[in-house]
Amino acid sequence: MKVLVLCEYSGIVRDAFIRAGHDAVSVDILPSESDLGPHHQMDALKFLEENQDDFDLGIFHPPCTYLACSGIHWNKGSIERQKKTELALEFVQALMNTTIKRWALENPKSIISSRIRKADQQVQPYHFGEPIQKTTCFWLHNLPKLRPTEDLEKEVKAMHPRDRWPAGWLGPSVEDRGKQRSKFFEGMAAAMATQWGALEHQTSLEDWL
């Protein structure tokens, strides 16, 4: 399967698909932090528009800064932030308009659900073997919902709320914290590569289900 991972500089999702035997590339305006697979440092939407017919599966991670419900309250009284939110929504819609046969768009709880369409699934890293709590939403097209692989919910819920956060969330600078919070999760990425990668030889979603 040829997999396109947009707006990812960490290489986590791209590398998970490569390890599962797929041909995956990532695209981001930042350089990749991993050398395992190919990476294009450029505008993600431009790359998508020029190359979408070459891929079987798209995984999209649009920046959540102006979309996440946790920060949308900052838009009140800020015309500049409101404009950036509208641009972010336009970017998300452009990604969703892709001609790639199967795709998943990931974000935390965000206004994508109220302004474009409701998320198809909400999961937590602790559903996939990582003792971390961070609600992750997926908007899916021709893909099944991810199935939990190792549920650690009881263990995580027994932890102090502060200990449930990923390492680095309280980094020394805003830039450090932002980069750490934007990173995806290894366990969830592996589940995506294993489960969605299994669709390679299926002609329809119903065949896989």
Side-chain angles (χ1 to χ4, degrees):
M1 183 178 287
K2 296 194 68 174
V3 183
L4 174 61
V5 185
L6 291 182
C7 306
E8 180 189 60
Y9 62 87
S10 68
I12 290 173
V13 174
R14 179 202 64 201
D15 294 353
F17 275 93
I18 290 175
R19 293 189 185 99
H22 300 284
D23 181 8
V25 301
S26 57
V27 182
D28 196 89
I29 57 173
L30 296 175
S32 180
E33 294 181 341
S34 167
D35 296 327
L36 179 61
H39 178 77
H40 298 271
Q41 188 177 352
M42 62 176 293
D43 179 83
L45 190 55
K46 185 176 187 297
F47 185 93
L48 178 64
E49 292 172 346
E50 295 176 351
N51 300 278
Q52 57 189 330
D53 292 340
D54 297 332
F55 293 93
D56 307 302
L57 171 65
I59 308 293
F60 309 143
H61 303 279
C64 65
T65 304
Y66 300 103
L67 296 170
C69 293
S70 59
I72 204 68
H73 64 280
W74 293 111
N75 282 22
K76 293 181 179 179
S78 175
I79 295 177
E80 188 62 30
R81 279 192 63 97
Q82 293 171 20
K83 289 180 179 178
K84 289 181 177 179
T85 291
E86 294 305 316
L87 289 173
L89 286 167
E90 290 178 12
F91 180 67
V92 168
Q93 186 64 71
L95 295 176
M96 289 183 170
N97 289 340
T98 181
T99 58
I100 297 177
K101 182 179 179 180
R102 299 184 176 100
W103 55 260
L105 186 141
E106 174 273 329
N107 235 231
K109 287 184 179 180
S110 77
I111 62 171
I112 296 173
S113 286
S114 59
R115 292 289 302 276
I116 298 180
R117 70 174 174 87
K118 186 178 179 181
D120 296 290
Q121 182 178 24
Q122 289 187 17
V123 292
Q124 295 282 348
Y126 58 63
H127 291 140
F128 304 91
E130 298 187 70
I132 296 169
Q133 180 170 318
K134 182 185 178 184
T135 302
T136 302
C137 299
F138 285 110
W139 289 259
L140 304 172
H141 180 71
N142 286 334
L143 288 173
K145 295 179 180 179
L146 285 179
R147 299 189 299 265
T149 56
E150 183 182 357
D151 197 340
L152 302 179
E153 181 174 2
K154 290 183 178 179
E155 291 85 342
V156 171
K157 291 298 179 64
M159 298 163 59
H160 188 280
R162 195 180 186 88
D163 295 332
R164 302 172 190 170
W165 297 350
W169 268 36
L170 299 177
S173 70
V174 173
E175 182 180 359
D176 290 335
R177 292 195 296 271
K179 291 186 75 172
Q180 289 298 324
R181 294 183 186 194
S182 70
K183 283 189 175 181
F184 204 61
F185 303 97
E186 301 276 359
M188 204 179 296
M192 292 160 64
T194 301
Q195 297 178 31
W196 293 342
L199 293 167
E200 179 182 10
H201 301 296
Q202 306 299 334
T203 58
S204 68
L205 182 57
E206 287 72 21
D207 290 339
W208 190 84
L209 296 172

